[in-house]
Amino acid sequence: MNFDVFFDAPLHIQAHAGAAIGALILGLCLYTVARGRLAHRALGMSMCALLAITVTTAFFIRGPGGSMSWIHGFIPLTLMGFFGIAMGVAGKNWQQHKNAGRGLVFGALLIPGLFTLLPGRLMHAVFFG
């Protein structure tokens, strides 16, 4: 592992990656705690806060020429996941809440996270460079 590459990256990229990794860890921990309890609510809100940081910093990450890459297509999916989670809680529709939460963990964290391991991306250089 080459952490020098990570620490040489701009601060917004470090914040983006750190928040995403933290959100992923908390998201996976949510599967181990009892639903509806204080621990579940605290972990869930913390995960959403980290995901909000991840989404916000993603807008500042640009590729060559100043354009966003195709992986930024996950931003609207993440925002829809936030909406689904909130609407599920507000309406006490726990199935909707559960589905939106799983969608965030898989569709906003795991899948894009795997794409960051492709050659030419920062996480590839950190783990395999």
Side-chain angles (χ1 to χ4, degrees), residues 4-5 19 30 33 36 52 55-56 63 67 78 96 108-109 113 117-118 124:
D4 291 335
V5 175
L30 279 166
V33 297
V55 167
T56 303
S67 64
T78 303
Q96 177 186 2
L109 292 167
L117 298 175
L118 292 173
H124 181 272

Side-chain angles (χ1 to χ4, degrees), residues 51-52 55 73-83 104 107-109:
L51 261 176
V55 167
F74 288 98
I75 292 172
L77 295 174
T78 303
L79 297 174
M80 289 188 304
F82 282 148
F83 184 76
L104 279 176
L109 292 167

Side-chain angles (χ1 to χ4, degrees), residues 111-124:
I111 294 170
L114 291 174
F115 284 127
T116 65
L117 298 175
L118 292 173
R121 303 200 64 92
L122 176 68
M123 287 298 138
H124 181 272

